[in-house]
Amino acid sequence: MSQDPFTELKNRQREMWASFGPTALFTTPVAGHVVRFAGIVAGETVLDIGTGTGVLAITAARRGARVFGLDLTPELIEQARENAAIARLPEINWKQGDAEELPYPDASIDVVVSQFGHMFAPRSKVVVSEMRRVLKPGGRIAFATWPPEHFIGRMFAFVGRNSPPPPPGADPPPQWGNPALVAERLGNRFDAPFFERGVMKFSALSIPHFRLFMERSVGPMQKLVESMAGDPEKLERFRAEFDALATPYHFDNAIHQDYLLTRAHAA
Ligand SMILES: C[S@@+](CC[C@H](N)C(=O)[O-])C[C@H]1O[C@@H](n2cnc3c(N)ncnc32)[C@H](O)[C@@H]1O
């Protein structure tokens, strides 16, 4: 019996993100920005959705928050646990689970955060409803996303064009980087959102160094390149297009990638 298409998609995503660990070196500084932007203070209850190796959850816990970290991918939760032990923050509660079915009670969280995480849940309506459900009255959300017009947004669109189509009804992740659409999605369940931007830098000695890193550590790229292994010409064309896409963002030995931050209080 075949599974529903969203379950299949999430099973693929779970496998795809397992190699993400080394990329957290570059998302670590962003986590400092998100925690400051979210205004997290000691004693607050914080949920980090799509925690990966735990960079945002651990940064919030260092401020004295009581933190829950959730991710679809068990390999990354294991790394998050190791990171928390190194940071001497063993009390963070880690769980494997889905942003579209949060395993937490209604009205139990002060701040729901996500850094390039909830944007990968396929149904924006479901994830907004879940984030709102777990928030206490007066609680807030704060998240970082990739804008569609900048490098990573364009890269995901490019990878998407070369991959099997997602199920009908799945929202493309970089739509979460469009402020007008974000405001529409939060609708009347949240007050009008506040936005800010930042730049994430990926160290890259050359474009091919950067591409190699992405092919090894960013699941959607990795899977796509694996699927072209039997067609060297296609792979070569794909790589040339990728390099052309990345080139304008490469200067001072880094790829510069803008991100969008959104903050909103529960209405
Ligand atoms: C780009 S990584 C970001 C990880 C981390 N927040 C960081 O900034 O380093 C995306 C993460 O979202 C997780 N993810 C994707 N879909 C998810 C879902 N439906 N529910 C929970 N986590 C999900 C992936 O497993 C992965 O860890």
Side-chain angles (χ1 to χ4, degrees):
M1 200 174 68
S2 75
Q3 284 174 318
D4 92 82
F6 290 107
T7 306
E8 271 175 38
L9 176 70
K10 287 173 196 173
N11 287 342
R12 282 204 304 276
Q13 286 181 325
R14 188 178 295 119
E15 195 202 330
M16 228 167 49
W17 287 112
S19 57
F20 178 79
T23 317
L25 188 61
F26 305 111
T27 60
T28 296
V30 183
H33 190 181
V34 176
V35 165
R36 177 162 49 82
F37 175 79
I40 291 167
V41 294
E44 285 189 307
T45 308
V46 174
L47 166 63
D48 178 19
I49 300 178
T51 191
T53 64
V55 293
L56 181 48
I58 289 169
T59 310
R62 279 181 21 229
R63 286 211 168 186
R66 196 171 148 243
V67 180
F68 298 84
L70 178 91
D71 202 280
L72 200 58
T73 308
E75 288 87 345
L76 296 179
I77 286 288
E78 210 34 62
Q79 291 172 41
R81 215 172 252 125
E82 284 165 22
N83 277 330
I86 294 169
R88 302 196 174 164
L89 294 164
E91 61 284 358
I92 300 176
N93 181 299
W94 304 106
K95 238 183 212 161
Q96 197 248 319
D98 181 3
E100 293 189 344
E101 212 178 334
L102 294 176
Y104 308 99
D106 297 358
S108 57
I109 305 285
D110 293 305
V111 196
V112 173
V113 291
S114 188
Q115 178 173 289
F116 318 129
H118 87 291
M119 65 184 291
F120 292 102
R123 290 167 294 194
S124 56
K125 269 203 180 112
V126 179
V127 76
V128 167
S129 158
E130 276 297 89
M131 291 194 298
R132 181 65 187 82
R133 178 184 65 76
V134 300
L135 271 187
K136 292 180 188 169
R140 61 196 186 280
I141 52 174
F143 50 77
T145 50
W146 300 123
E149 77 285 3
H150 215 274
F151 175 64
I152 300 214
R154 294 178 69 195
M155 184 194 92
F156 274 112
F158 169 65
V159 168
R161 281 197 299 280
N162 287 282
S163 305
D171 300 311
Q175 286 186 347
W176 274 110
N178 173 341
L181 203 49
V182 171
E184 192 183 306
R185 285 178 177 176
L186 299 184
N188 55 12
R189 295 158 180 233
F190 290 88
D191 291 343
F194 178 80
F195 297 105
E196 191 170 298
R197 283 179 187 263
V199 180
M200 185 173 88
K201 292 185 191 172
F202 271 90
S203 301
L205 193 53
S206 69
I207 297 281
H209 278 86
F210 174 63
R211 175 166 35 75
L212 193 60
F213 182 87
M214 299 299 274
E215 287 181 7
R216 286 179 179 160
S217 300
V218 175
M221 269 286 279
Q222 189 186 21
K223 289 288 159 202
L224 189 54
V225 166
E226 279 170 18
S227 76
M228 291 180 191
D231 189 343
E233 276 176 27
K234 190 172 174 192
L235 183 57
E236 207 41 50
R237 275 199 309 279
F238 172 80
R239 285 178 165 157
E241 267 190 72
F242 180 89
D243 290 5
L245 192 66
T247 297
Y249 304 98
H250 187 236
F251 49 90
D252 300 341
N253 272 356
I255 295 282
H256 293 67
Q257 166 60 44
D258 284 19
Y259 53 85
L260 178 73
L261 293 184
T262 302
R263 181 176 69 223
H265 281 82

